[in-house]
Amino acid sequence: VAGREIARHLGVDREDVPAEWRQKAEILKTHPGPSQKPDYDAIPETGVQPVVHCTQEIPCNPCASVCDEGVIAIPGDGLLGRPQAADEGCKGCLKCLLICPGLAITLVDYRKDAENPTVTLPYEVYNRPLTKGDLVRLTDIDGQVLAQVPVVGTALSKAGRKTMIVRVKAPRALAKRVAGLRIQAAMEETGLQDVPVWVPDDAIVCRCERVTVGEIRRLIRSGLRDLNQIKAITRAGMGACGYKTCEPLMLGLFRQEGVALADVTVNTPRPLFVETPLAVLAGCEKDE
């Protein structure tokens, strides 16, 4: 649209911008539609079934565009809407699975074993390649583990993205809900100890205004509990960074001094401004 308007302005193109171009531009600006989980129960359990795990209507249609058999389509204008797969006709070419930028398509093949169909998934963790026999955890669209199964086959895509194809056998009751893999073992982790690190008085809290820890610490010990007051006194937080660095550091100082953060009034965010001389507003030139 912008290119056509520039060409017209320069006199090298007299054609109007097509109305459908502007309509599509407006569509692309819209927010995603409401989230809706796929209706897995409605997908047949015969032949090869592409399972589309998309949950929102977004302007994304490569899966429908690449499907030579017309099995995957997007209702309506062909751009917005959740892709839908026909009940039959899929030949298992894997084009939709490989092209989906969200890795949101899997194939379930019931032809050889309907009770334990083969599920084909995309895999792009390059530093952890999988091979036949590796145990992987199958997860649903929410990341919840469904089952642990061995890999029955892999293949590397020749496409530029180097997507790996991973095939597993899954129980019939779970196969359509398999949306991903978990390869990392679950770990029990403990959080860092909640002990504030002591910072010396000459350390800088606000780099923009060169305010030290000692200045802030003295105000805290004098009884101040409002970051807005501290900002007004020291200018800490008035710099170009917009209070990004000094606020968490100052809250840490309150904790060091034994003050509960529930008792602290946090900073009121304000837009950055630049001091402007009155001469500029008056339209005066330098030295006038």
Side-chain angles (χ1 to χ4, degrees):
V1 170
R4 175 63 63 81
E5 291 179 341
I6 291 170
R8 291 191 64 198
H9 179 76
L10 296 175
V12 297
D13 189 346
R14 290 184 171 82
E15 294 187 37
D16 291 331
V17 176
E20 57 268 23
W21 289 14
R22 296 190 184 279
Q23 291 171 1
K24 182 165 289 188
E26 291 303 314
I27 290 173
L28 292 173
K29 296 177 184 177
T30 58
H31 292 287
S35 179
Q36 180 181 356
K37 288 190 176 182
D39 185 6
Y40 296 112
D41 294 333
I43 301 173
E45 298 181 353
T46 58
V48 183
Q49 297 294 334
V51 181
V52 182
H53 300 278
C54 291
T55 60
Q56 282 188 308
E57 297 180 353
I58 60 174
C60 181
N61 63 354
C63 58
S65 301
V66 80
C67 184
D68 296 330
E69 307 301 323
V71 175
I72 297 180
I74 297 178
D77 61 13
L79 183 63
L80 282 179
R82 294 171 60 241
Q84 297 179 0
D87 292 347
E88 55 185 19
C90 179
K91 296 183 178 180
C93 70
L94 301 177
K95 288 183 179 180
C96 60
L97 183 148
L98 291 171
I99 203 171
C100 176
L103 306 182
I105 298 178
T106 59
L107 293 185
V108 183
D109 189 345
Y110 295 91
R111 292 175 296 183
K112 293 183 178 180
D113 187 351
E115 292 307 314
N116 292 281
T118 300
V119 181
T120 305
L121 305 99
Y123 178 74
E124 292 186 347
V125 183
Y126 306 121
N127 64 328
R128 289 283 299 275
L130 295 175
T131 58
K132 184 178 180 179
D134 289 343
L135 287 177
V136 293
R137 294 175 177 84
L138 304 179
T139 62
D140 62 14
I141 197 172
D142 296 317
Q144 300 299 315
V145 175
L146 299 173
Q148 180 171 284
V149 298
V151 173
V152 298
T154 63
L156 189 62
S157 166
K158 295 180 181 180
R161 289 172 57 192
K162 301 297 183 184
T163 302
M164 177 174 278
I165 301 302
V166 177
R167 292 185 173 90
V168 297
K169 289 278 192 178
R172 184 171 187 163
L174 303 176
K176 291 182 290 187
R177 288 173 167 76
V178 175
L181 302 171
R182 181 177 296 178
I183 59 174
Q184 192 172 16
M187 298 176 62
E188 292 292 337
E189 295 184 355
T190 57
L192 296 175
Q193 291 186 352
D194 192 22
V195 178
V197 179
W198 185 261
V199 183
D201 282 349
D202 59 354
I204 299 295
V205 171
C206 177
R207 296 189 180 99
C208 299
E209 299 292 336
R210 304 294 296 176
V211 181
T212 65
V213 167
E215 295 177 74
I216 305 298
R217 188 170 278 147
R218 284 190 292 273
L219 292 175
I220 294 174
R221 291 177 178 176
S222 71
L224 290 186
R225 298 294 181 265
D226 190 333
L227 289 180
N228 296 287
Q229 286 181 297
I230 295 177
K231 178 172 66 175
I233 295 171
T234 66
R235 294 186 60 83
M238 291 187 179
C241 85
Y243 219 50
K244 294 183 182 70
T245 302
C246 39
E247 182 172 31
L249 293 175
M250 290 164 67
L251 292 175
L253 292 177
F254 275 104
R255 293 175 59 219
Q256 289 180 16
E257 295 298 320
V259 179
L261 295 186
D263 298 332
V264 178
T265 301
V266 296
N267 171 60
T268 301
R270 301 191 184 281
L272 177 67
F273 70 93
V274 178
E275 295 176 349
T276 306
L278 288 175
V280 173
L281 303 179
C284 299
E285 298 294 336
K286 186 177 181 181
D287 299 328
E288 182 180 349

